[in-house]
Amino acid sequence: SQVFITSIQTFLQWRDVTMGLTKTLVFGAIIALVGCDRGLRTGGGAAGVGRSTTSAVVVAIVLVYVSDYFLSAMMFGQPGLGS
């Protein structure tokens, strides 16, 4: 509706969009790199694949959460952590 369009034009800034896309790229890189690393180090047959997959998911989730904290702090200016 027109109210939605008007509120987007009023409150959404390009800075918000670019920050969101930047964080998305960082998260995607983390997930891809962790998955590749764990996949290339896999051994032990099907059981090893299962362990590597679980490990990759856990490590990627933790790294995404930690990087989200620091990226948000830098982008939005938390005291002591960036701008």
Side-chain angles (χ1 to χ4, degrees):
S1 83
Q2 189 60 34
V3 174
F4 176 76
I5 300 295
T6 303
S7 66
I8 291 290
Q9 291 171 339
T10 303
F11 297 109
L12 185 67
Q13 300 175 4
W14 279 110
R15 181 175 186 252
D16 298 328
V17 174
T18 57
M19 284 186 196
L21 291 174
T22 301
K23 288 172 70 174
T24 301
L25 289 173
V26 171
F27 298 159
I30 288 170
I31 293 167
L33 291 172
V34 169
C36 288
D37 176 64
R38 299 298 171 165
L40 290 172
R41 296 172 188 256
T42 297
V49 171
R51 284 191 300 273
S52 291
T53 303
T54 301
S55 173
V57 169
V58 170
V59 170
I61 288 172
V62 169
L63 289 177
V64 165
Y65 279 142
V66 170
S67 66
D68 186 40
Y69 173 79
F70 286 108
L71 286 170
S72 295
M74 286 187 297
M75 290 178 174
F76 296 109
Q78 292 295 323
L81 289 174
S83 49

